[in-house]
Amino acid sequence: EPEVTQTPSHQVTQMGQEVILRCVPISNHLYFYWYRQILGQKVEFLVSFYNNEISEKSEIFDDQFSVERPDGSNFTLKIRSTKLEDSAMYFCATPGTSGGAYQFFGPGTRLTVL
Amino acid sequence: QKEVEQNSGPLSVPEGAIASLNCTYSDRGSQSFFWYRQYSGKSPELIMFIYSNGDKEDGRFTAQLNKASQYVSLLIRDSQPSDSATYLCAVGAGTASKLTFGTGTRLQVTL
């Protein structure tokens, strides 16, 4: 049983457009993470989010990116002005209700920027 | 720069054999170590985690950790064709920390 679901599963957008990727926890989670994986490359950390605040972000997570939890449930990643190099799989992850150092990954959103 | 290194493979083993996957990491402050399995086009699936030096067994999987050598390994006994996937090594600094991933080792289990 997945800890989180993600929508949409696939998003195609034009360069310069804004996209919002959503992560929906199955249960009430406090910690969230976003990672991305460019095709053929390794999984890279973007940002961690705890108690409605960013706790850590990578150098990839520049001003074009933002995260929020608008309704206390869904967790969103927004890319304001997409670039070709933003094309990747984006994964939401969470330790789940049991906590711990491990993270369960959602099914991912494939973002294609044309 | 904190790095996690893996041989990209492919590592080819016959069905029923033991597959041995290795990983080294650069950050001595790392506290938590994970193995994920990733099928093509799918998300990483957690299969093992280990926090202390030594071995940890779970079914056909054994994770081994040697902090002094900064080395983590995964053994898969009685390999099955369904084990064919990319295995990702990930390292964290502890509870609620980000994970740093290696590039993964592609495993092929042949009939």
Side-chain angles (χ1 to χ4, degrees), chain B residues 50-51 55 61 64 70:
Chain B
I50 186 167
Y51 304 144
D55 295 358
F61 300 99
Q64 300 173 315
Q70 295 174 247

Short mmCIF file of all heavy atoms in Angstrom, two decimals, chain B residues 50-51 55 61 64 70:
data_model
loop_
_atom_site.label_atom_id
_atom_site.label_comp_id
_atom_site.label_asym_id
_atom_site.label_seq_id
_atom_site.Cartn_x
_atom_site.Cartn_y
_atom_site.Cartn_z
N ILE B 50 19.75 -0.27 6.94
CA ILE B 50 20.67 -0.71 7.96
C ILE B 50 21.30 0.51 8.60
O ILE B 50 21.63 1.49 7.91
CB ILE B 50 21.72 -1.69 7.38
CG1 ILE B 50 22.60 -2.27 8.48
CG2 ILE B 50 22.56 -1.02 6.29
CD1 ILE B 50 23.44 -3.47 8.00
N TYR B 51 21.46 0.48 9.92
CA TYR B 51 22.00 1.63 10.63
C TYR B 51 23.30 1.31 11.38
O TYR B 51 24.08 2.22 11.69
CB TYR B 51 20.98 2.17 11.65
CG TYR B 51 19.65 2.55 11.08
CD1 TYR B 51 18.48 2.35 11.80
CD2 TYR B 51 19.53 3.12 9.82
CE1 TYR B 51 17.23 2.70 11.29
CE2 TYR B 51 18.29 3.48 9.29
CZ TYR B 51 17.15 3.26 10.04
OH TYR B 51 15.91 3.61 9.52
N ASP B 55 25.71 -7.25 9.67
CA ASP B 55 24.77 -7.78 8.69
C ASP B 55 23.34 -7.65 9.18
O ASP B 55 23.07 -7.73 10.37
CB ASP B 55 25.05 -9.27 8.43
CG ASP B 55 26.41 -9.50 7.79
OD1 ASP B 55 27.12 -8.51 7.52
OD2 ASP B 55 26.76 -10.67 7.57
N PHE B 61 17.35 -11.25 1.17
CA PHE B 61 18.23 -10.08 1.14
C PHE B 61 19.05 -9.97 2.42
O PHE B 61 18.54 -10.18 3.51
CB PHE B 61 17.41 -8.80 0.96
CG PHE B 61 16.59 -8.75 -0.30
CD1 PHE B 61 15.24 -9.05 -0.28
CD2 PHE B 61 17.18 -8.42 -1.50
CE1 PHE B 61 14.48 -9.00 -1.45
CE2 PHE B 61 16.43 -8.36 -2.68
CZ PHE B 61 15.09 -8.66 -2.64
N GLN B 64 24.89 -5.40 4.34
CA GLN B 64 26.10 -5.39 5.15
C GLN B 64 26.64 -3.97 5.20
O GLN B 64 26.68 -3.28 4.18
CB GLN B 64 27.14 -6.33 4.54
CG GLN B 64 26.68 -7.78 4.44
CD GLN B 64 27.66 -8.65 3.69
OE1 GLN B 64 28.17 -8.27 2.63
NE2 GLN B 64 27.92 -9.84 4.23
N GLN B 70 33.51 2.65 5.04
CA GLN B 70 32.51 3.44 4.32
C GLN B 70 31.95 2.64 3.16
O GLN B 70 31.93 3.11 2.00
CB GLN B 70 33.13 4.78 3.87
CG GLN B 70 33.50 5.64 5.07
CD GLN B 70 34.25 6.89 4.68
OE1 GLN B 70 35.43 7.06 4.99
NE2 GLN B 70 33.57 7.79 4.00
#
